[in-house]
């Protein structure tokens, strides 16, 4: 778990330049590197372009940013000129299709990563930007990065087109793809290009992907590279797709992972093993770079995405939870990398000195807030286990909550800090499995949540939670009881905000009715729910497309079409616009006892045995629904 190599140091500017005028003021005649992004430029470590840009500048390279370019012409793409080394291209903090469309496939009316929320990001932004750059500068190397490129690096099922698409590296004329968090590989690419190496020779950098001509692959394929079923195979055979997914999923470990190749009709895409995680010292250095935590001053309208995270602190990376519907295993990995308490306190102290700070640290966390400081004895030696997932039952997993408790206590003592909130979700099964866990939850209730605590049980049916790779509903019951025990002496009660999911593979209408009854009985009804959306590179998306568990190849029930809509409606059984769907679902499941005037009924109705009146799906109304976006790791 090594550090990042640095080059000749140059002073960091207040903001990375967006224009040639800013470049001139900094004495830059030609940028070494130009980064193109679908987001507005916010100089904050939670935004990938700013983070990579600062890291590259710290390594001694001048970096310019082209933010949200107009794709109608090449003018914006040429505004900063030709970079000396390469262009780096990202769709932004979120996959552009997830960002541009709701789970119901309706186009969104705004973009929180854009000034004033104005829509500026094209669909499939990475491909669109790459084509424009390649057209304008065909001889300049192009490096793809960010969440969209990272999670579309192999042939993948695309929910928006309802088909399997090629690897993004087969669709976009790029030189390399840097996947994962990518600081180390981006610096290595810059150093080696700066040393005069040809771009096409950079085939050995961990955490990157490159292409090879089909003819070369046929004659020079290596026994050290695992070949998975080709694009043609996975696009026409769901079993081949599931097998391919299972193989490359198991190679996403930085210690034991091997290179993986997937043939495409015109090229072969080859993924090198993942990059080694950053050491605590290297992670500290990255997050202590001089971020202003502000939008670039040229923007005259607020950028909504900044407000919730402006004064938040990243304490760690990685998540060993391995939830089926989350793609973090393919992006940040299962190995948790934690910063030192001293570094985090230093960052909070710097935040507290900012004139805009009002005393509230909005979040201290990562993908899962209470995994800070947790580790496994095997990670550094053999990596995460290949044959099983990490669970609280594992004796090798160090789950003590003492480190995070002590960290939060120290942050509370920083001068100028009034409140420290934990806005990231927590794993309640870890809380229950650790002797310090109850004290941690007590600390949260006493100091680190206002009125609500976010948790994500997702479901309560055992057969559904198994498919999701989530704790059993009984575990959530125990956590709910523990949480309520800390509310008895409070003058103002706090509440759990549980996230539940409908339409997930393995879930039936009967399972959703059971969940609706659970929500009813525990008074957990919320308007914020999630209908499963198949986003690229998750286990659940593989199940959705293939109908198979990729690891066992056993069939999995997949709700689609009208059934998926019924499941979604059952999550909000109080909403009048869902009535027709709910009645239909209750009849299908033989649960008409839940239609009527009784306390246990989900929906009112004088005669629960009345014949169901079928309403065509395309005429049903869905107005007023509030959808929780699909989980996406955001850099």
């Amino acid at each position: 778990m090594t550090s990042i190599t640095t080059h000749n140091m140059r002073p960091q500017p207040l903001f990375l330049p967006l224009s040639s005028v800013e470049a001139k003021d900094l004495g830059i005649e030609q940028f070494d590197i130009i980064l193109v992004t679908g987001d507005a430029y916010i100089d904050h470590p939670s935004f990938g372009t700013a983070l990579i840009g600062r890291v590259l500048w710290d390594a001694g390279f001048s970096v310019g940013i082209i933010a949200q370019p107009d794709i109608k012409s090449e003018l914006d793409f040429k505004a900063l000129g030709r970079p000396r080394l390469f262009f780096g291209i990202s769709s932004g903090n979120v996959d552009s299709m997830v960002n541009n469309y709701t789970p119901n496939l309706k186009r969104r009316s705004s973009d929180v990563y854009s000034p004033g929320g104005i829509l500026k990001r094209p669909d499939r932004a990475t491909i669109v930007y790459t084509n424009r750059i390649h057209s304008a500068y065909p001889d300049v190397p192009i490096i793809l990065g960010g969440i969209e490129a990272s999670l579309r690096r192999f042939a993948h099922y695309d929910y928006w087109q309802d088909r399997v698409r090629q690897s993004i590296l087969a669709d976009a004329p790029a030189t390399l793809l840097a996947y994962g968090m990518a600081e180390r590989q981006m610096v290595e690419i810059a150093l080696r290009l700066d040393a005069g190496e040809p771009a096409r020779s950079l085939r050995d950098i961990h955490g990157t992907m490159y292409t090879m001509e089909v003819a070369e692959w046929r004659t020079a394929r290596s026994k050290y590279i695992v070949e998975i079923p080709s694009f043609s195979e996975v696009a026409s055979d769901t079993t081949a797709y599931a097998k391919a997914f299972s193989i490359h999923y198991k190679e996403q470990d930085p210690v034991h992972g091997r290179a993986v190749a997937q043939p495409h009709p015109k090229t072969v895409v080859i993924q090198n093993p993942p990059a080694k995680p950053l050491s605590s010292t290297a992670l500290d250095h990255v997050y202590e770079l001089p971020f202003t935590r502000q939008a670039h001053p040229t923007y005259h309208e607020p950028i909504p995405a900044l407000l919730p995270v402006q004064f938040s602190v990243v304490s760690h990376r990685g998540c060993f939870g391995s939830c089926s519907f989350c793609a973090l295993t393919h992006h940040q990995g299962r190995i948790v990398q934690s910063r030192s308490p001293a570094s985090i306190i230093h960052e909070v102290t710097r935040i507290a000195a900012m004139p805009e700070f009002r005393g509230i640290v909005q979040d201290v966390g990562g993908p899962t807030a209470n995994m800070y400081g947790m580790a496994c004895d095997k990670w550094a030696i053999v990596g995460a286990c290949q044959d099983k997932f990490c669970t609280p039952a594992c004796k090798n997993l160090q789950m003590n909550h003492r480190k995070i408790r002590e960290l939060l206590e120290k942050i509370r003592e920083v001068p100028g800090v009034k409140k420290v909130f934990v806005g990231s979700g927590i794993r309640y099964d870890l809380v229950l499995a650790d002797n310090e866990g109850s004290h941690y939850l007590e600390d949260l209730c006493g100091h680190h949540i206002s009125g609500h605590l976010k948790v994500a049980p997702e479901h309560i049916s055992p057969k559904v939670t198994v498919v999701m790779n989530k704790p059993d509903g009984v575990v959530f019951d125990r956590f709910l009881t523990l949480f309520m025990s800390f509310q008895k002496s409070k003058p103002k009660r706090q509440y759990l905000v549980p996230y539940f999911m409908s339409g997930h593979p393995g879930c039936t209408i009967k399972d959703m009715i059971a969940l609706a009854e659970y929500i009813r009985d525990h008074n957990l009804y919320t308007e914020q729910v999630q209908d499963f959306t198949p986003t690229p590179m998750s286990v659940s998306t593989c199940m959705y497309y293939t109908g198979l568990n990729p690891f066992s190849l056993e069939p999995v029930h997949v709700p689609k079409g009208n059934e998926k809509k019924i499941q979604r409606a059952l999550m909000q059984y109080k909403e009048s616009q869902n009535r027709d769907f709910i009645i239909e679902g209750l009849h299908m499941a033989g649960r008409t006892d839940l239609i009527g005037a009784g306390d246990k009924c989900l929906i009112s109705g004088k005669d629960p045995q009345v014949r169901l009146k079928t309403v065509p799906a395309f005429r049903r109304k869905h107005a007023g629904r509030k959808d929780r976006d699909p989980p996406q790791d955001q850099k």
Side-chain angles (χ1 to χ4, degrees):
M1 302 184 187
T2 56
S3 60
I4 302 172
T5 304
T6 58
H7 193 47
N8 296 321
M9 301 294 289
R10 65 165 71 218
Q12 293 262 2
L14 185 62
F15 287 92
L16 301 180
L18 288 180
S19 68
S20 56
V21 173
E22 294 171 74
K24 185 178 180 181
D25 290 342
L26 293 169
I28 298 170
E29 295 184 3
Q30 181 184 24
F31 286 105
D32 295 323
I33 299 159
I34 296 175
L35 303 179
V36 183
T37 175
D39 294 338
Y41 168 39
I42 297 175
D43 190 49
H44 190 287
S46 292
F47 295 80
T49 299
L51 190 69
I52 292 296
R54 288 285 186 189
V55 167
L56 288 168
W57 199 291
D58 182 64
F61 301 99
S62 60
V63 181
I65 294 177
I66 299 175
Q68 299 186 305
D70 184 349
I71 64 171
K72 295 177 183 178
S73 74
E74 295 179 353
L75 290 177
D76 284 355
F77 296 94
K78 291 183 173 181
L80 299 184
R82 176 192 301 269
R84 187 173 64 88
L85 299 177
F86 66 84
F87 281 100
I89 296 180
S90 166
S91 71
N93 263 25
V94 184
D95 183 282
S96 59
M97 302 305 290
V98 174
N99 190 79
N100 291 354
Y101 295 89
T102 70
N104 292 327
L105 299 178
K106 294 181 180 178
R107 190 159 188 86
R108 298 186 192 274
S109 58
S110 62
D111 184 344
V112 297
Y113 294 96
S114 183
I118 298 172
L119 296 171
K120 293 185 176 182
R121 188 192 324 262
D123 292 352
R124 310 194 188 283
T126 302
I127 296 174
V128 173
Y129 294 158
T130 304
N131 283 330
R132 278 296 187 189
I133 290 291
H134 184 67
S135 175
Y137 301 102
D139 57 336
V140 177
I142 297 174
I143 314 300
L144 306 185
I147 195 78
E148 181 167 278
S150 187
L151 299 185
R152 293 177 181 268
R153 61 186 186 266
F154 290 107
H156 56 281
Y157 172 72
D158 186 86
Y159 175 62
W160 298 268
Q161 291 186 332
D162 192 25
R163 68 177 178 89
V164 176
R165 288 184 62 95
Q166 295 190 126
S167 161
I168 197 169
L169 200 53
D171 280 339
T175 312
L176 293 171
L177 185 156
Y179 66 92
M181 298 303 278
E183 292 97 342
R184 178 180 290 106
Q185 45 268 54
M186 291 297 283
V187 170
E188 184 173 350
I189 290 167
L191 288 171
R192 290 174 63 172
L193 290 176
D194 188 48
E197 288 190 50
R200 288 292 175 184
S201 71
L202 303 181
R203 290 182 168 185
D204 60 341
I205 299 174
H206 283 212
T208 65
M209 201 165 188
Y210 61 94
T211 59
M212 180 182 289
E213 295 293 335
V214 175
E216 181 185 357
W217 173 250
R218 287 172 180 164
T219 59
R221 58 161 52 102
S222 170
K223 65 179 181 180
Y224 301 106
I225 300 178
V226 179
E227 183 175 346
I228 63 175
S230 68
F231 167 76
S232 299
E233 293 175 279
V234 302
S236 59
D237 183 346
T238 54
T239 301
Y241 186 103
K243 289 179 178 178
F245 182 89
S246 175
I247 295 169
H248 70 65
Y249 183 93
K250 294 174 182 178
E251 302 299 338
Q252 303 307 317
D253 185 272
V255 179
H256 60 69
R258 297 170 292 176
V260 179
Q262 185 175 48
H264 283 61
K266 296 182 179 181
T267 191
V268 178
V269 296
I270 301 175
Q271 175 195 277
N272 286 319
K276 293 290 192 295
L278 296 183
S279 65
S280 178
T281 300
L283 206 58
D284 288 349
H285 182 73
V286 167
Y287 285 100
E288 288 187 58
L289 291 172
F291 297 97
T292 63
R293 296 178 174 267
Q294 296 283 353
H296 191 276
T298 55
Y299 298 122
H300 302 296
E301 294 183 274
I303 301 169
L306 173 60
L307 294 178
V309 300
Q310 185 172 16
F311 302 116
S312 65
V313 177
V314 174
S315 58
H316 61 286
R317 291 180 179 175
C319 179
F320 53 76
S322 302
C323 298
S324 298
F325 46 80
C326 179
L328 265 170
T329 298
H330 277 83
H331 192 63
Q332 288 195 9
R334 291 166 61 185
I335 296 176
V336 175
Q337 308 139 64
S338 299
R339 295 172 59 190
S340 70
S343 173
I344 293 172
I345 297 302
H346 181 268
E347 183 178 353
V348 173
T349 301
R350 184 171 175 269
I351 289 172
M354 294 181 175
E356 305 84 5
F357 183 66
R358 296 293 180 264
I360 308 297
V361 177
Q362 295 160 300
D363 185 25
V364 179
T368 302
N370 58 325
M371 285 187 187
Y372 174 79
M374 295 188 180
C376 173
D377 294 333
K378 294 184 175 181
W379 283 347
I381 303 170
V382 296
C385 293
Q386 300 181 61
D387 58 344
K388 56 187 175 182
F389 295 114
C390 301
T391 71
C394 180
K395 295 180 180 179
N396 293 311
L397 194 60
Q398 302 165 16
M399 293 182 298
N400 199 312
H401 283 77
R402 182 176 296 278
K403 289 182 180 179
I404 184 62
R405 291 185 62 212
E406 292 175 349
L407 173 65
L408 292 172
E409 182 179 4
K410 289 178 180 178
I411 296 174
R412 295 199 302 266
E413 296 172 353
V414 172
V417 171
K418 300 175 183 176
K419 277 286 185 180
V420 183
F421 290 127
V422 174
S424 303
I426 68 168
R427 284 288 296 227
Y428 52 87
D429 55 333
L430 298 179
V431 170
L432 296 172
D434 173 27
N435 292 332
E436 285 280 333
S438 62
H439 299 302
Y440 170 70
L441 183 58
E442 186 176 16
D443 287 350
L444 290 182
C445 294
H447 302 286
H448 304 296
I449 59 174
S450 52
H452 304 89
L453 174 65
K454 294 189 294 186
V455 290
E458 304 297 357
H459 217 287
I460 50 87
S461 169
K463 68 184 184 68
V464 180
T465 54
V466 165
V467 176
M468 291 178 163
N469 200 33
K470 292 288 290 185
D472 191 280
V474 175
V475 180
F476 181 63
D477 282 339
R478 289 173 53 209
F479 178 80
L480 183 58
T481 300
L482 181 61
F483 177 81
M484 293 306 298
S485 71
F486 293 123
Q487 304 303 313
K488 294 178 181 178
S489 60
K490 286 187 175 296
K492 188 174 181 180
R493 181 184 164 184
Q494 297 164 325
Y495 296 88
L496 281 183
V497 178
Y499 288 148
F500 292 110
M501 185 182 293
S502 65
H504 190 276
C507 185
T508 65
I509 288 178
K510 287 185 177 181
D511 293 319
M512 286 309 301
I513 292 172
L515 178 55
E517 290 184 286
Y518 185 91
I519 292 170
R520 174 202 66 199
D521 294 343
H522 291 81
N523 195 30
L524 295 173
Y525 188 86
T526 175
E527 291 186 351
Q528 191 175 34
V529 298
Q530 179 177 339
D531 186 25
F532 170 68
T533 303
T535 53
M537 204 73 89
S538 74
V539 176
S540 299
T541 297
C542 180
M543 292 188 217
Y544 178 90
Y545 172 62
T546 66
L548 300 169
N549 181 318
F551 308 119
S552 67
L553 296 183
E554 294 176 352
V556 177
H557 173 71
V558 179
K560 292 185 178 181
N562 205 47
E563 182 191 352
K564 198 166 188 289
K565 294 175 182 177
I566 290 170
Q567 290 199 24
R568 172 66 178 77
L570 283 163
M571 292 282 283
Q572 291 182 302
Y573 58 85
K574 293 183 180 181
E575 306 301 316
S576 60
Q577 69 267 20
N578 292 332
R579 180 179 177 82
D580 291 333
F581 279 125
I582 294 169
I583 292 176
E584 184 176 351
L586 293 175
H587 274 268
M588 289 173 65
R591 293 299 309 274
T592 54
D593 58 299
L594 296 176
I595 305 173
D599 292 340
K600 296 295 185 180
C601 291
L602 296 180
I603 193 169
S604 63
K606 294 182 180 180
D607 183 4
Q609 300 303 321
V610 68
R611 185 182 178 126
L612 176 66
K613 182 179 179 181
T614 302
V615 181
F618 68 88
R619 296 182 61 187
R620 293 189 171 114
K621 305 296 183 182
H622 311 289
R625 290 184 173 177
K626 295 182 180 179
D627 296 293
R628 177 163 64 99
D629 287 338
Q632 285 275 339
D633 172 71
Q634 293 187 10
K635 196 166 184 180

